[in-house]
């Protein structure tokens, strides 16, 4: 998919049948499938149909190793610190139920956060742990100050998103991590809107734990996610959901075992292996393109769309943080109903989202500037 070392974006666009039907600008929500992935999945299913679990097409251990290896390179961590789970919400519940907090401790969460990073923490209120919220800001610098002002002597844990799902604003993760680390506060990250879009390196950013889904910027399947637990933190977590797949040598069912695997202990039992095959396909495509190239292309498309929207009189959330790259374009136009705009675009086959009264667009690498021009023409009309 590269021409003279550069990605061939038109070749990538041709892999996505959705481009023949609509313009999909909700990639920080869900992402459609491409024809190469369909081929991978079909090949596996044909092998499974012919040979069942004995098929040599996409073997379990090989696929798992490939996925963890690519993600480890992307995140700058060890493959053994990653587990393939179902979604962010599941990962946050694993972490919340595994952490040790005391009555009177405080958890800080993000104001207007996505529910996957709110509900898993609520059970702590019944145990006398206070849950408080860091006020939002229109700028990353302002949010960092809000966070510093929200931390108290009782703060034990802060759980944030990498990017605000309603505004597209990235948070200054490195600065946040350094500050929390200096205070001895655990840093948990919801990487849903960030992994694959931003260069997130948990070790450098002092992130102890992170969960994220496959189906956003990594172009993977619905119902598959990833949990990161820093190696030095793993055995400090209680493990409430032990299953067949949690123990070493799990294919030998007897005698029962006490010794747990590494972070993949959270792969409790039989996985949806078709999703793994799907995910390996998209990760290998993105790795082949180069994650940096993919990120830069998303920024390029987002900037192109942003420039066009400004010319058409739209106000952008990203104008408050011009020095921070984002692939999520959130806009509103005075006198124009954002809800009506989203509905009208949907009728014309353009998929975006309504968030906090504004229109949210999120292009990915298979989108072309010509498609964005068609969107802008409609918004100007």
């Amino acid at each position: 998919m590269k021409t003279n070392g550069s990605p061939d974006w038109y070749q990538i666009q041709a892999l996505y049948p959705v481009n023949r039907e609509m313009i999909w600008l909700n990639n920080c929500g869900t992402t459609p499938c491409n024809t190469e992935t369909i081929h991978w999945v079909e090949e596996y299913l044909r092998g499974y149909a012919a040979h069942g679990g004995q098929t040599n097409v996409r073997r379990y251990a090989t696929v798992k190793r490939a996925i963890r290896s690519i993600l480890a390179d992307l995140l700058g961590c060890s493959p053994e610190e990653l587990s393939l789970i179902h979604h962010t919400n599941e990962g946050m519940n694993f972490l919340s139920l595994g952490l040790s907090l005391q009555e009177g401790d405080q958890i800080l969460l993000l104001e207007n956060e996505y529910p996957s990073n709110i509900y898993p923490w609520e059970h702590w209120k019944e145990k006398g742990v206070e849950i408080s919220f860091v006020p939002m800001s229109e700028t990353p610098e302002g949010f960092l100050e809000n966070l510093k002002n929200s931390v108290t002597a009782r703060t034990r844990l802060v759980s944030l998103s990498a990017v605000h799902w309603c505004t597209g604003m990235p948070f200054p993760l490195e600065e946040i991590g350094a500050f929390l680390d200096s205070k001895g506060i655990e840093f948990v990250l919801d990487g849903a809107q960030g992994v694959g879009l931003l260069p997130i390196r948990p070790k450098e950013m002092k992130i102890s734990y992170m969960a994220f889904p496959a189906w956003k910027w990594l172009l993977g399947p619905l119902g598959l996610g990833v949990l990161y637990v820093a190696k030095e933190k793993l055995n400090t977590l209680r493990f409430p959901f032990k299953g067949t797949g949690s123990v070493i040598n799990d294919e030998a069912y007897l005698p029962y075992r006490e010794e747990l695997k590494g972070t993949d202990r959270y792969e409790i039992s039989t996985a949806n292996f078709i999703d793994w095959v799907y995910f390996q396909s998209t990760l290998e495509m993105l790795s082949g393109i180069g994650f940096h190239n993919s990120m830069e292309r998303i920024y390029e498309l987002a900037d192109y769309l942003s420039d066009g929207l400004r010319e058409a009189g739209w106000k952008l959330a990203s104008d408050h943080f011009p020095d921070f790259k984002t692939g999520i374009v959130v806009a509103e136009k005075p006198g124009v109903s954002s809800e009506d705009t989203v509905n009208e675009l949907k009728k014309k086959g353009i998929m975006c989202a309504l968030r906090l009264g504004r229109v949210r667009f999120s292009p990915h690498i298979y989108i072309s500037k010509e498609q964005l021009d068609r969107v802008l023409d409609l918004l100007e009309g």
Side-chain angles (χ1 to χ4, degrees):
M1 297 182 185
K2 292 186 177 181
T3 303
N4 297 325
S6 300
D8 185 338
W9 301 119
Y10 287 104
Q11 184 180 356
I12 293 164
Q13 289 153 24
L15 294 177
Y16 281 81
V18 70
N19 286 328
R20 298 192 288 272
E21 304 291 334
M22 57 183 63
I23 301 174
W24 195 272
L25 293 175
N26 191 28
N27 290 282
C28 67
T30 62
T31 47
C33 188
N34 67 68
T35 53
E36 284 295 309
T37 295
I38 292 171
H39 172 74
W40 277 53
V41 172
E42 283 184 345
E43 185 180 47
Y44 167 71
L45 287 174
R46 293 184 189 282
Y48 191 81
H51 300 286
Q54 299 303 307
T55 180
N56 286 318
V57 180
R58 314 295 177 207
R59 299 291 293 173
Y60 179 93
T62 304
V63 172
K64 177 176 175 176
R65 185 164 54 248
I67 291 172
R68 293 171 90 190
S69 176
I70 293 171
L71 289 174
D73 286 344
L74 173 64
L75 299 171
C77 66
S78 165
E80 286 68 38
E81 294 175 303
L82 301 171
S83 180
L84 299 179
I85 56 172
H86 292 99
H87 37 66
T88 306
N89 198 95
E90 181 179 70
M92 289 299 179
N93 271 287
F94 282 147
L95 297 173
S96 181
L97 293 169
L99 288 162
S100 296
L101 299 174
Q102 305 296 323
E103 183 177 354
D105 288 346
Q106 181 193 56
I107 295 171
L108 285 180
L109 305 174
L110 173 65
E111 180 184 40
N112 291 327
E113 174 66 285
Y114 192 78
S116 289
N117 198 17
I118 297 294
Y119 297 153
W121 304 103
E122 289 184 336
H123 72 96
W124 282 109
K125 291 189 289 187
E126 302 170 2
K127 303 172 179 68
V129 174
E130 176 189 331
I131 295 180
S132 299
F133 295 88
V134 182
M136 262 304 296
S137 172
E138 292 183 330
T139 69
E141 299 91 345
F143 178 79
L144 180 59
E145 286 306 307
N146 289 349
L147 174 63
K148 290 179 177 180
N149 292 333
S150 298
V151 165
T152 72
R154 297 183 295 108
T155 307
R156 298 290 176 267
L157 179 146
V158 173
S159 188
L160 302 173
S161 288
V163 177
H164 199 291
W165 65 294
C166 293
T167 68
M169 188 183 82
F171 294 106
L173 300 180
E174 192 164 351
E175 291 87 347
I176 290 171
F179 169 72
L180 296 179
D181 185 60
S182 72
K183 300 290 185 180
I185 298 170
E186 298 280 20
F187 187 10
V188 182
L189 188 71
D190 175 345
Q193 300 289 0
V195 177
L197 175 66
L198 302 173
I200 296 175
R201 313 286 281 187
K203 294 194 178 302
E204 297 171 16
M205 297 172 174
K206 308 300 182 182
I207 297 165
S208 297
Y209 313 99
M210 177 169 62
F212 56 92
W215 60 82
K216 297 182 185 292
W217 300 110
L218 298 175
L219 298 172
L222 287 166
L224 182 63
V226 181
L227 177 66
Y228 163 81
V229 178
K231 190 179 303 182
E232 65 274 15
K233 298 290 185 178
L234 180 61
N235 291 324
T236 68
L237 295 174
R238 294 191 303 274
F239 187 64
F241 293 111
K242 185 177 180 181
T244 307
S246 301
V247 297
I248 62 169
N249 301 323
D250 57 295
E251 292 183 358
Y253 303 128
L254 295 172
Y256 304 130
R257 292 168 177 77
E258 295 295 327
E259 188 175 353
L260 296 169
K261 295 178 180 177
T263 303
D264 56 345
R265 67 185 60 176
Y266 293 98
E267 295 163 19
I268 292 172
S269 191
T270 308
N272 185 342
F273 188 63
I274 295 173
D275 283 350
W276 287 20
V277 173
Y278 185 146
F279 197 29
Q280 182 190 2
S281 169
T282 62
L283 285 177
E284 292 203 353
M285 180 183 76
L286 290 169
S287 180
I289 293 168
F291 282 103
H292 175 76
N293 290 328
S294 174
M295 293 175 192
E296 290 299 321
R297 177 60 174 176
I298 293 168
Y299 302 148
E300 180 185 354
L301 293 170
D303 287 346
Y304 185 86
L305 178 59
S306 296
D307 289 343
L309 288 169
R310 288 190 194 94
E311 291 178 8
W314 289 73
K315 306 298 181 182
L316 274 64
S318 58
D319 288 340
H320 295 287
F321 47 94
D323 296 330
F324 290 78
K325 293 183 178 181
T326 182
I328 302 174
V329 180
V330 178
E332 59 185 337
K333 188 172 185 178
V336 175
S337 166
S338 294
E339 183 175 6
D340 289 347
T341 298
V342 170
N343 291 333
E344 287 302 312
L345 290 175
K346 185 176 181 180
K347 290 176 184 177
K348 295 176 171 62
I350 298 165
M351 304 306 296
C352 53
L354 180 69
R355 294 291 182 263
L356 293 181
R358 291 178 283 192
V359 185
R360 187 188 72 182
F361 303 96
S362 48
H364 212 306
I365 57 173
Y366 63 87
I367 295 294
S368 68
K369 291 181 179 178
E370 290 79 6
Q371 288 173 305
L372 297 181
D373 284 337
R374 294 207 296 274
V375 175
L376 291 168
D377 286 344
L378 288 171
L379 292 174
E380 289 175 355

